[in-house]
Amino acid sequence: MMTRDQILDAAAQIFRQKGYHAASMQDIAAAVNLQKASLYHHVSSKQEILLALLDQALELLFERISEVSNQSLAPDEKLRQMMRAYLKAMTDHFDLATVLLLEHRSLEPKLHARHIPNRDRFEALWRDVINEGLDAGAFQCSDPALTVRGLLGVMNWTITWYRPNGALTIEQIADQFASLFLDGLRRR
Amino acid sequence: MMTRDQILDAAAQIFRQKGYHAASMQDIAAAVNLQKASLYHHVSSKQEILLALLDQALELLFERISEVSNQSLAPDEKLRQMMRAYLKAMTDHFDLATVLLLEHRSLEPKLHARHIPNRDRFEALWRDVINEGLDAGAFQCSDPALTVRGLLGVMNWTITWYRPNGALTIEQIADQFASLFLDGLRRR
DNA sequence: ATAAACCTACCGAACGGTCGGTAGATTAAG
DNA sequence: CTTAATCTACCGACCGTTCGGTAGGTTTAT
């Protein structure tokens, strides 16, 4: 017997591989050994699958990052740990994270609007740690919001090229990115 | 009368807005006031449109960046200028750049394979400037290839949130990202 | 000069196929 | 016996693409 979660997992994988619009309900059905019509016993539409995946992904990432962000650590160390946690969570849930980052624009406008506030709550976690560092005099930067976008850019783009059997573990990648962001490229 | 270039321009805009698979030949035809059958007088298939756009985008970006990269500048200044040029070129050709970065995976495998070497030539421009900086003792980093990926990540992700009427110009954004990468976040 | 031949640009209609989704019968589980 | 799960069969809409044809300008042959 098939559960809704199994269907969502399979859908995430197929959405990741093909993209939302190129993936068909037929594809998803085949992946869980069902007929296409049988999917509609568990989900109400293709859009609903996408929405469920986006919510699930964002909730998971938010939880993992806020765990770290609630610890009392020095800002630089906290930032490093948050980057570790984020990249680890994304690669642990590769399909889900890829759908979140690359397919969210396939949500119909109405559902998409409902999704944005969650994004903002997530971004706030990163803005907070930057501001902590600035207040403590440990960080320097002229535009925290832009710094957050840069930070998320590096990490989000990672899932477009990361492959689990690469030379570096995701922890090593996270540490190098953290060092790069904290200390910069210029030698002195 | 309609030219092939006008059709490609319209296609780029629609591919950017909807994504390749969600965009139909009908959409493109309507955008240039033609019947969809008439498109096939100018292009041979939807895939061919995508391939033409990707080639065009990569050629344009490569040209703009190599112009800067061929100048003899100090590595840190050269990197800054390359980042400026890249972000400027991407926002000057927003539709084209978005298609390049987000829709290249919609190319059929055969065409996609033919596209990869061009990507590598482009990435090499960035690897070279990092290595120049290392050789000159101006830069420090343990893994140049990973640094390049971080660099491209920040910049590539920019087109997912950048809007031309934002508070910052693209030059300001480029400069701040360059400073962030060169000097880091940590105060000292 | 003129008419035949050709070319470019476009159109309406249609093709085979796939899409997301529905209706209703059938099977499996408790 | 009931209800949850899955099936077969089907729907209208739309997909990318092809086809036959046409209007009108340009070239070629006489």
Side-chain angles (χ1 to χ4, degrees), chain A residues 34-52:
Chain A
L34 285 183
Q35 295 301 312
K36 175 177 69 152
S38 309
L39 294 178
Y40 288 88
H41 185 70
H42 303 276
V43 302
S44 68
S45 73
K46 194 185 175 186
Q47 277 284 307
E48 195 220 11
I49 295 179
L50 180 57
L51 181 61

Side-chain angles (χ1 to χ4, degrees), chain B residues 10-146:
Chain B
Q13 186 181 338
I14 293 172
F15 286 174
R16 194 242 324 146
Q17 288 166 344
K18 301 190 164 189
Y20 176 78
H21 280 106
S24 70
M25 294 298 273
Q26 185 73 258
D27 293 332
I28 299 170
V32 292
N33 283 104
L34 286 183
Q35 296 301 313
K36 67 173 170 170
S38 309
L39 294 179
Y40 288 86
H41 183 69
H42 303 275
V43 301
S44 69
S45 72
K46 194 183 175 188
Q47 277 284 307
E48 195 220 12
I49 295 179
L50 180 57
L51 181 61
L53 292 177
L54 295 180
D55 284 349
Q56 193 176 317
L58 211 43
E59 184 189 336
L60 187 143
L61 290 174
F62 185 88
E63 193 178 308
R64 298 279 195 100
I65 306 305
S66 62
E67 257 174 40
V68 179
S69 123
N70 286 333
Q71 295 178 242
S72 61
L73 292 167
D76 55 350
E77 185 57 20
K78 187 189 276 193
L79 181 61
R80 184 182 294 269
Q81 295 296 338
M82 285 172 68
M83 291 178 71
R84 260 178 176 266
Y86 188 46
L87 284 169
K88 185 66 164 55
M90 285 208 296
T91 52
D92 280 349
H93 304 85
F94 189 59
D95 296 333
L96 216 46
T98 306
V99 171
L100 174 66
L101 294 177
L102 300 181
E103 306 298 334
H104 70 100
R105 70 210 181 102
S106 295
L107 257 192
E108 283 166 7
K110 201 156 195 172
L111 299 177
H112 194 269
R114 195 147 61 76
H115 186 66
I116 290 178
N118 294 339
R119 292 219 151 209
D120 290 344
R121 283 202 315 143
F122 182 73
E123 277 198 28
L125 291 178
W126 299 93
R127 218 161 26 240
D128 288 349
V129 68
I130 300 293
N131 283 329
E132 276 177 40
L134 289 172
D135 291 348
F139 289 168
Q140 53 171 354
C141 80
S142 51
D143 186 336
L146 191 59

Side-chain angles (χ1 to χ4, degrees), chain A:
Chain A
M1 198 201 51
M2 213 43 63
T3 72
R4 180 182 158 100
D5 277 348
Q6 285 175 278
I7 291 172
L8 292 181
D9 283 354
Q13 187 182 336
I14 292 172
F15 286 174
R16 195 243 320 148
Q17 289 166 343
K18 301 190 165 191
Y20 176 79
H21 280 106
S24 71
M25 294 298 275
Q26 187 72 259
D27 293 334
I28 300 170
V32 292
N33 282 103
L34 285 183
Q35 295 301 312
K36 175 177 69 152
S38 309
L39 294 178
Y40 288 88
H41 185 70
H42 303 276
V43 302
S44 68
S45 73
K46 194 185 175 186
Q47 277 284 307
E48 195 220 11
I49 295 179
L50 180 57
L51 181 61
L53 291 177
L54 294 180
D55 284 348
Q56 192 177 319
L58 211 44
E59 185 189 336
L60 187 143
L61 290 174
F62 186 88
E63 194 177 307
R64 299 277 196 99
I65 306 304
S66 64
E67 257 174 39
V68 179
S69 127
N70 285 333
Q71 294 177 242
S72 61
L73 291 167
D76 55 352
E77 184 58 19
K78 186 190 276 193
L79 181 60
R80 184 182 293 270
Q81 295 298 336
M82 284 172 68
M83 291 177 71
R84 262 180 175 264
Y86 187 47
L87 284 169
K88 186 67 163 59
M90 286 209 293
T91 52
D92 280 350
H93 304 85
F94 188 59
D95 296 332
L96 216 46
T98 305
V99 171
L100 174 66
L101 294 177
L102 301 182
E103 305 299 334
H104 69 99
R105 70 210 181 103
S106 296
L107 257 192
E108 284 165 8
K110 201 157 195 171
L111 299 177
H112 194 269
R114 194 147 63 73
H115 187 66
I116 290 177
N118 294 339
R119 292 219 151 206
D120 290 343
R121 284 202 314 143
F122 181 73
E123 277 198 28
L125 292 177
W126 299 92
R127 218 162 22 242
D128 288 349
V129 69
I130 301 292
N131 283 329
E132 275 177 40
L134 289 173
D135 292 348
F139 288 168
Q140 54 171 354
C141 80
S142 51
D143 188 336
L146 192 59
T147 302
V148 167
R149 292 208 150 122
L151 208 48
L152 289 175
V154 174
M155 295 188 294
N156 289 345
W157 197 256
T158 301
I159 62 151
T160 70
W161 54 264
Y162 173 80
R163 291 298 169 267
N165 36 339
L168 296 174
T169 68
I170 196 63
E171 286 87 357
Q172 291 173 313
I173 293 171
D175 276 337
Q176 291 214 32
F177 279 162
S179 299
L180 186 59
F181 257 90
L182 287 169
D183 293 324
L185 198 53
R186 181 144 47 199
R187 187 172 180 180
R188 87 202 77 196

